[in-house]
Amino acid sequence: MARYVKDFSEGDKDQKDLLGGKGANLAEMTRLGLPVPPGFTITTEACRAYMRTGAVPPELRVEVTMAVRHLEDQLGRRLGDFHEPLLVSVRSGAKFSMPGMMETVLNVGLNDASVQGLAALSGDERFAWDSYRRLIQMFGRTVLDIDGDLFADALDKAKAARGVTADVDLDAADLRTLVDTYKQIVRDESGREFPQHPREQLDMAIVAVFDSWGTERAQLYRRKERIPDDLGTAVNVCTMVFGNLGPTSGTGVAFTRDPASGRTGEFGDYLVNAQGEDVVAGIRNTLSLADLEDVDPAAHAELLQAMRRLETHYRDLCDIEFTIERGKLWMLQTRVGKRTAPAAFRIACQLVDEHLITMDEALSRVTGAQLSQLQFPQFAPGDGADRVLLTKAMPASPGAAVGMAVFDPETAQQWASEGKDVVLVRRETNPDDLGGMIAAVGVLTARGGKTSHAAVVARGMGRTCVVGAEELVVDSAARSMTTRGHTVNEGDVIAIDGTTGEVFLGDVPVVPSPVQRYLEDGLDVALAEAPDDETRDLVRAVHRILEHADATRRLRVHANADTAEDALRARSLGAEGIGLCRTEHMFLGERRVLVERVVLAADDAERTAALDALLPLQRQDFTDLLAEMDGLPTTIRLIDPPLHEFLPDLTELSVKVALAAERGKVDERDVTLLAAVRRMHEANPMLGLRGVRLGLVVPGLFDLQIRAIAEAVAARLAAGGHPHAEIMVPLVASVQELRLVRDRALSIMAEVSAEQGVTVDLPVGCMIELPRAALTADRLATQAQFFSFGTNDLTQTTWGFSRDDVEGAFFSQYAANGVLSVSPFETIDVRGVGELVKVAAERGRATRPDLTLGVCGEHGGDPESIRFFDSVGLDYVSCSPFRVPVARLEAGRAAV
Ligand code: ADP
Ligand code: MG
Ligand code: MG
């Protein structure tokens, strides 16, 4: 039983771990009886063994010998033979697709002898030499690490010498000469001959594919896509079929639906008389599938049949690579295709309507990240007079991007790191542009179709992208481009529309997206305003899937909102309560002075006066908020931030007093104030006198807030409302703290009830944002009716990271050396912080089974974190109003 090698006829699509995505799907297509050239897959296990030991496992060498032998017997041809040679491609293919990231070598097995055999076999000498020069070129570049431009330049020279522009115009003799030139390049650059032995070619190519897993750009891509570094890649060895055998041959890529818009119908690019990457590289302009129907109706019909077969089999959008060799169709690759956010929603609903998937599946095929992309603004429709259209090209990935034009990936990264928005403009992109594409807000290319590298990668990462802008003359050396009489230099602002393909000079105003319109104002308004059928279809799809998410999810979704205005917006976006009302936001402006007086009061009378002034203001805030949130839980957090935020700045005040002293006009009040500020100055305010500590130290402050809440509730009850206020105590570390506050709350509520003649009995609970609180949750639960996890502070206090400082200080370093793959402030650190959440939930509920559990940190709106919160049994997540729809969707996805 082979350990490291599997024939295409042995696997299936579920073995992606072992065979990689490409290998598993080649096996699946073979199983389905589709025309796949025979071949075998070297497993990821072999690659991992190679990475572990730094050497090819000896068993692998033997298994490859046997597999090649099997292929040769099957086809009746021999690798490198003078007569009827067998040629193979050596193709990388990891578990997760990494477009253009890794290496593939075609035509392996050609040498000085077998090139003659190939010429005889095909009856086409030109083709044989073209294939040979391609092998040396690809092998030289990817296996021997020779600068690819050397080969490209030699090819250009050969074309120039013949006075032609396309490589198809070179004849056999030209190509034969080119092969000699290429061999010389190999000799000069690598210090060795181009390997003539086919098995040596094969072995070297396999190792090169293994090695391509570890290249810098592959690592960068994995980090961006959060793909683990230790998976390794499989290697597929596949019998060559030839799209470069003259006018009845060609190669293409196809999608079973439009991956950009989600439109139904087949869709693709085809290039006559071409091989491999020619289509994707955008070297020549391609034909559409409709054109292919004219050129070769039989092959076209067979292709369409295969595409339908694949789509009903995978029950999803598939993308496909195919080659036609003298009228015979060959399938070279398929996979479930990447798609844009609008396409994801539309296709999911189409597939439901076509009875291919259920609504639950439709829900699991869209993501919160995609929904949030659809929420972003778009360019305002204009009459054309208000903006300068530079060109209109192919929309490859939607969005509205405005930024400064840059013409190389290094500048893109540099400028982006300085906080500038940049649009990366390239003639075409290749994998070396990846860093620049990540840094840019948008990508624009002059060449290539919707399946070009730029388009595929941009779609994958949700970056706005326009491709194939042939009117653009891009001059990377001069850092400029010209089109329609305009010259755009590096740093000039341009705007690209990934939905229409338009490119404008200068800034262009943006408007809310139709999906955002729907989320805020409802289906009818959005449908009425939508400009076209496709937009209406998209809005309906989002609506259907979100409704299903709402019906499916277990987690409730609340919003963080501090004012009646925010609360209204949160409700319209679907929030079912307020999980966090930050009362400190009510102490801005002139109220800040009142708080300052409370804190610095010289005596009780002064303090009481300040508190009395604040009471009616706070009461009104809460009354308004509770009116807006009538009938829904509204969790109000008592004042939390560090003391110094309410005091005059120490330095400024010192300077003021010093200057006054110089002029001999000292204000005694300032001097007293300065002394107080000095006394209260803290080295580490975030770990200082804040939250419940402040409430226990400054008499009357919490009392004021609790009274304001209780009186607001009484007022709402009297007005016939249904207020559901809850009182939340921040930064609790010990049950004693909570008991003191709770006792005060109970007696104030009793007082207010007596005064107003109504029953005010509000739940009191606490934040869990300190490790000690999480660990003593069983005790806290004796005093708390609910917990709300403040995961921002909990992350900060668990890691000992200052969340305000880390980003600039060392996170980029930590990301680069792999200590952190994602910021723990963005996605919950499940192992550490998550464990505390889990422990606290368990211990809290052990004491009080009906304890309500929620989360109100940024993580409440983060897709991955939401899954985690669902899994540990929290009752709700609370996030910013804008993220509420994303949280609804993700909570639904977590439940299916
Ligand atoms: P990628 O993962 O970058 O798409 P592939 O392994 O699919 O790389 O190969 C690169 C190109 O070579 C593709 O266009 C593919 O269709 C083509 N190709 C790969 N193997 C063969 C083969 N056996 N015969 C003909 N073309 C091939
Ligand atoms: Mg491919
Ligand atoms: Mg906090």
Side-chain angles (χ1 to χ4, degrees):
M1 189 60 193
R3 250 182 92 196
Y4 291 129
V5 171
K6 295 259 184 272
D7 192 85
F8 287 170
S9 61
E10 292 178 310
D12 63 49
K13 69 173 174 12
D14 299 323
Q15 298 180 33
K16 291 199 178 69
D17 284 335
L18 189 63
L19 303 178
K22 196 181 289 170
N25 288 323
L26 280 166
E28 188 76 10
M29 287 201 290
T30 305
R31 237 166 47 90
L32 289 176
L34 293 172
V36 177
F40 57 88
T41 303
I42 297 168
T43 63
T44 53
E45 182 51 45
C47 180
R48 287 192 295 269
Y50 171 80
M51 294 194 295
R52 257 194 320 270
T53 61
V56 172
E59 299 93 321
L60 176 61
R61 296 190 188 279
V62 177
E63 287 180 35
V64 168
T65 305
M66 282 155 53
V68 169
R69 202 50 205 267
H70 178 69
L71 262 191
E72 290 178 335
D73 291 346
Q74 206 178 342
L75 297 164
R77 292 191 254 145
R78 307 251 156 248
L79 204 60
D81 214 28
F82 185 76
H83 301 285
E84 309 206 359
L86 167 71
L87 305 186
V88 295
S89 62
V90 178
R91 319 168 61 185
S92 59
K95 175 176 182 186
F96 301 103
S97 123
M98 300 167 57
M101 281 304 110
M102 293 159 65
E103 311 296 7
T104 287
V105 184
L106 303 181
N107 307 331
V108 168
L110 274 179
N111 54 25
D112 294 348
S114 59
V115 68
Q116 314 273 359
L118 184 65
L121 179 68
S122 63
D124 186 339
E125 213 182 327
R126 184 200 171 276
F127 152 75
W129 286 99
D130 184 47
S131 303
Y132 195 16
R133 72 94 190 155
R134 285 172 189 267
L135 169 64
I136 304 173
Q137 187 165 358
M138 267 183 274
F139 194 92
R141 198 166 51 79
T142 67
V143 181
L144 300 175
D145 235 356
I146 298 170
D147 180 1
D149 286 346
L150 295 174
F151 297 107
D153 290 348
L155 179 60
D156 285 343
K157 267 200 208 116
K159 285 191 282 191
R162 289 284 269 148
V164 298
T165 52
D167 29 329
V168 283
D169 294 326
L170 294 176
D171 65 19
D174 298 330
L175 291 163
R176 198 179 182 135
T177 315
L178 190 59
V179 163
D180 284 335
T181 313
Y182 276 10
K183 282 188 192 160
Q184 189 58 46
I185 294 175
V186 169
R187 224 170 275 133
D188 292 346
E189 296 297 315
S190 72
R192 61 161 294 167
E193 290 294 323
F194 173 74
Q196 287 290 318
H197 198 294
R199 179 59 196 263
E200 190 182 4
Q201 292 173 6
L202 181 60
D203 287 341
M204 288 176 76
I206 291 170
V207 169
V209 172
F210 285 164
D211 286 335
S212 70
W213 177 260
T215 58
E216 214 167 290
R217 66 178 196 230
Q219 289 181 26
L220 179 66
Y221 185 88
R222 286 199 292 274
R223 211 170 300 132
K224 175 97 178 75
E225 300 293 317
R226 300 192 199 163
I227 299 171
D229 265 329
D230 53 3
L231 299 179
T233 180
V235 185
N236 301 287
V237 178
C238 182
T239 309
M240 282 303 299
V241 292
F242 298 101
N244 52 340
L245 261 175
T248 56
S249 304
T251 182
V253 291
F255 292 90
T256 55
R257 295 169 200 244
D258 185 344
S261 71
R263 213 170 294 145
T264 51
E266 308 78 13
F267 163 103
D269 298 317
Y270 181 71
L271 201 57
V272 176
N273 199 7
Q275 190 175 50
E277 311 272 62
D278 293 358
V279 190
V280 183
I283 305 186
R284 278 182 272 150
N285 283 327
T286 52
L287 302 181
S288 68
L289 288 193
D291 298 333
L292 172 61
E293 186 173 13
D294 298 337
V295 179
D296 189 340
H300 175 261
E302 197 187 347
L303 174 64
L304 256 49
Q305 201 181 1
M307 285 166 74
R308 270 191 292 275
R309 186 79 200 282
L310 286 173
E311 198 173 78
T312 48
H313 184 70
Y314 284 87
R315 303 184 304 128
D316 205 346
L317 158 76
C318 293
D319 74 26
I320 290 155
E321 291 178 5
F322 66 96
T323 280
I324 297 174
E325 179 181 311
R326 290 187 170 153
K328 163 87 180 107
L329 173 73
W330 292 100
M331 305 292 283
L332 289 175
Q333 187 177 326
T334 193
R335 69 186 158 209
V336 167
K338 298 201 174 179
R339 67 208 69 185
T340 63
F345 280 87
R346 290 181 67 193
I347 291 174
C349 286
Q350 287 160 12
L351 295 175
V352 170
D353 294 339
E354 291 168 26
H355 311 301
L356 286 174
I357 62 173
T358 63
M359 269 317 277
D360 275 359
E361 286 172 302
L363 178 55
S364 63
R365 291 202 185 168
V366 296
T367 65
Q370 286 168 332
L371 179 58
S372 84
Q373 266 184 47
L374 294 176
Q375 292 182 258
F376 287 112
Q378 304 178 342
F379 287 136
D383 56 7
D386 58 341
R387 58 195 72 163
V388 180
L389 184 68
L390 288 177
T391 185
K392 183 166 173 169
M394 258 176 273
S397 181
V402 182
M404 294 183 218
V406 292
F407 297 88
D408 64 282
E410 293 76 27
T411 309
Q413 282 169 282
Q414 177 58 37
W415 289 21
S417 73
E418 293 162 15
K420 297 175 186 160
D421 286 343
V422 298
V423 174
L424 179 64
V425 184
R426 301 290 277 165
R427 227 151 66 94
E428 65 225 354
T429 64
N430 65 48
D432 295 330
D433 288 306
L434 185 70
M437 296 178 73
I438 294 173
V441 295
V443 179
L444 171 64
T445 70
R447 290 165 118 182
K450 280 194 192 177
T451 49
S452 63
H453 175 266
V456 172
V457 173
R459 266 201 297 280
M461 61 194 192
R463 196 66 79 253
T464 300
C465 180
V466 172
V467 297
E470 288 167 29
E471 284 182 303
L472 291 187
V473 181
V474 178
D475 186 343
S476 318
R479 296 162 184 263
S480 70
M481 64 175 183
T482 50
T483 170
R484 299 193 185 179
H486 297 279
T487 298
V488 176
N489 292 309
E490 185 176 84
D492 293 351
V493 171
I494 58 172
I496 66 172
D497 188 329
T499 313
T500 63
E502 289 167 310
V503 180
F504 301 103
L505 184 62
D507 202 353
V508 172
V510 292
V511 294
S513 77
V515 167
Q516 188 63 13
R517 201 84 181 133
Y518 152 69
L519 293 168
E520 287 188 15
D521 300 314
L523 190 58
D524 293 342
V525 174
L527 289 180
E529 282 183 7
D532 51 43
D533 283 346
E534 297 220 329
T535 310
R536 275 184 285 277
D537 191 55
L538 171 62
V539 168
R540 277 197 205 95
V542 171
H543 172 68
R544 274 173 77 180
I545 293 179
L546 255 187
E547 277 209 319
H548 187 69
D550 286 338
T552 309
R553 64 190 160 86
R554 189 189 61 73
L555 277 176
R556 282 180 287 129
V557 177
H558 294 192
N560 300 345
D562 307 334
T563 62
E565 219 178 354
D566 285 354
L568 173 66
R569 182 167 147 84
R571 267 190 100 151
S572 72
L573 288 165
E576 300 159 293
I578 287 183
L580 175 62
C581 166
R582 298 178 168 93
T583 53
E584 52 271 19
H585 290 180
M586 299 168 174
F587 294 133
L588 303 175
E590 58 190 35
R591 297 187 192 177
R592 209 196 73 115
V593 184
L594 292 172
V595 179
E596 187 182 308
R597 289 222 320 255
V598 172
V599 172
L600 295 176
D603 53 40
D604 286 351
E606 200 177 312
R607 182 179 307 113
T608 311
L611 286 169
D612 286 349
L614 275 170
L615 180 62
L617 303 172
Q618 275 268 275
R619 186 172 54 222
Q620 192 59 47
D621 293 333
F622 296 138
T623 311
D624 294 346
L625 186 69
L626 291 170
E628 202 60 71
M629 295 305 291
D630 200 50
L632 298 178
T634 307
T635 306
I636 301 170
R637 181 177 70 184
L638 302 180
I639 192 165
D640 177 50
L643 184 61
H644 73 114
E645 286 186 19
F646 294 109
L647 297 179
D649 184 77
L650 176 60
T651 320
E652 269 172 35
L653 191 59
S654 310
V655 172
K656 187 177 167 197
V657 172
L659 283 179
E662 253 175 45
R663 286 195 225 100
K665 292 187 195 158
V666 178
D667 182 337
E668 270 315 309
R669 269 174 316 176
D670 280 347
V671 176
T672 326
L673 189 59
L674 180 59
V677 172
R678 278 228 177 89
R679 196 171 62 240
M680 292 181 187
H681 181 74
E682 295 175 304
N684 257 326
M686 290 310 279
L687 296 175
L689 189 54
R690 56 174 288 218
V692 68
R693 303 165 195 167
L694 188 65
L696 292 176
V697 165
V698 178
L701 192 53
F702 273 9
D703 285 6
L704 150 82
Q705 290 198 297
I706 294 166
R707 175 167 280 276
I709 295 169
E711 289 183 1
V713 167
R716 287 296 305 151
L717 286 172
H722 302 85
H724 289 287
E726 303 178 351
I727 297 169
M728 180 154 78
V729 187
L731 216 75
V732 169
S734 142
V735 68
Q736 305 304 342
E737 293 169 318
L738 188 57
R739 178 173 291 130
L740 291 171
V741 178
R742 185 182 157 79
D743 288 347
R744 282 303 299 150
L746 293 182
S747 56
I748 292 170
M749 286 191 280
E751 281 166 35
V752 172
S753 298
E755 288 159 19
Q756 313 276 329
V758 288
T759 310
V760 178
D761 179 17
L762 309 178
V764 177
C766 68
M767 304 273 297
I768 303 288
E769 51 190 340
L770 294 171
R772 191 177 195 283
L775 295 172
T776 59
D778 49 341
R779 296 164 62 81
L780 290 178
T782 61
Q783 301 298 310
Q785 283 153 283
F786 63 88
F787 286 165
S788 178
F789 292 94
T791 49
N792 300 339
D793 267 319
L794 190 58
T795 299
Q796 171 164 264
T797 52
T798 300
W799 283 87
F801 285 163
S802 157
R803 70 182 202 232
D804 300 308
D805 303 317
V806 285
E807 295 290 346
F810 60 90
F811 266 22
S812 54
Q813 187 70 39
Y814 266 32
N817 60 22
V819 178
L820 291 171
S821 63
V822 56
S823 160
F825 291 109
E826 222 172 275
T827 294
I828 189 110
D829 151 42
V830 170
R831 286 215 181 92
V833 180
E835 190 63 18
L836 285 172
V837 172
K838 210 169 132 207
V839 162
E842 283 164 10
R843 294 186 185 170
R845 284 214 168 120
T847 302
R848 190 191 285 264
D850 64 348
L851 185 73
T852 305
L853 298 173
V855 58
C856 64
E858 294 304 313
H859 301 93
D862 171 68
E864 263 181 60
S865 311
I866 290 171
R867 281 182 174 264
F868 171 75
F869 297 136
D870 186 67
S871 76
V872 295
L874 301 198
D875 296 298
Y876 70 87
V877 293
S878 188
C879 56
S880 71
F882 187 80
R883 301 291 292 179
V884 164
V886 170
R888 287 160 58 199
L889 187 80
E890 285 294 341
R893 294 183 70 222
V896 296

